[in-house]
Amino acid sequence: MTHSGVLAEVDWNIARNVFFYLFATIQVIAAIKVVTVKNIVHAALYLVVVLAGVAAQFILLGAEFVATTQILVYIGAVVVLFLFGIMLTRANLGADADLDQDNRVPALLTGLLLAGVLVATLLRTFEDIEFPTETRSTTARVSDSIFSQYIVPFEAVSVLLLAALIGAIVVARKE
Amino acid sequence: MWLNQYLVLAAILFSIGVYGVLARRNAVLVLMSIEIILNSVNINLVAFGAFNDTVTGEVFALFVIAIAAAEVGIGLAIVLLIYRNRRSIDLNEADLMRG
């Protein structure tokens, strides 16, 4: 390997780390905002930040097709659906003190305990296993895989989506 | 770059989502917290796929995204129905099954 090749690899690794920690910090802050903020519309908009951050992590992992799908399905459709849900249930669009349960402290303890156990276990199990430094585009392999090995689950998911669509209409329509 | 960076991020997001499910009383906000949980699982799947250099993780993440879309559709339809019947989506008031 040439000297410049080594240098480029090191640069790439540093860049990946910098962007990982940048996106991860934004994501965690936005996720905490989603579960604590008093305004329900702001919670939906913070959810957009979390979902976009997940898409950015997918791109850093070389999974650009999943990242695109994430943006199209989540930010394009799911968040709009949430906003519709907020409007249709005529929630208070301003600040609302009534969004939280009374048992916030046990919930916080549960969350912290879960995070502690998960992080401690992960750190012990996967101590310092390194990622492969190169990531390459996988979209062609994903499509090959979906339409050969996973064709039956793929068709099942399309039927499931149709069933969910009809089910949602049946449940939500007026008599 | 360690595998653990992604796994720990996913674990933290998962715990935040669990806190949201437990601490919120508005049904739409509980559904949003469930979305955070599903996304953290997707980070795990894609990270392990990239680590093992297979696309199975990505394919599973795509399936999870499709199921999550169906889940949100049905969930919001149910929330709308509860709202229409009870004029409220406070989960503490949906207690018809209490003995």
Side-chain angles (χ1 to χ4, degrees), chain B residues 25-98:
Chain B
R25 89 170 25 168
N26 183 306
V28 177
L29 284 167
V30 171
L31 283 175
M32 285 185 202
S33 306
I34 293 175
E35 290 309 305
I36 296 179
I37 293 180
L38 288 168
N39 269 281
S40 75
V41 173
N42 272 352
I43 293 180
N44 264 350
L45 286 172
V46 175
F48 273 116
F51 175 68
N52 288 323
D53 197 24
T54 92
V55 293
T56 312
E58 289 180 41
V59 175
F60 266 74
L62 288 171
F63 283 130
V64 171
I65 289 175
I67 304 287
E71 175 254 340
V72 170
I74 296 287
L76 280 175
I78 293 172
V79 168
L80 279 184
L81 200 63
I82 293 175
Y83 175 75
R84 202 175 292 145
N85 284 329
R86 308 185 64 100
R87 294 285 125 196
S88 158
I89 52 170
D90 188 333
L91 290 176
N92 290 344
E93 290 175 22
D95 56 358
L96 277 179
M97 297 222 282
R98 184 178 288 173

Side-chain angles (χ1 to χ4, degrees), chain A residues 28-87:
Chain A
V28 170
I29 292 172
I32 291 173
K33 284 279 189 188
V34 171
V35 295
T36 54
V37 83
K38 292 281 175 221
N39 183 325
I40 187 164
V41 180
H42 289 183
L45 297 179
Y46 278 118
L47 186 68
V48 172
V49 178
V50 179
L51 300 173
V54 173
Q57 305 288 9
F58 287 162
I59 291 196
L60 283 181
L61 284 165
E64 68 273 341
F65 182 67
V66 187
T68 319
T69 315
Q70 167 92 6
I71 289 173
L72 286 176
V73 172
Y74 272 108
I75 301 175
V78 169
V79 171
V80 175
L81 212 58
F82 274 128
L83 289 173
F84 265 108
I86 293 169
M87 305 296 167

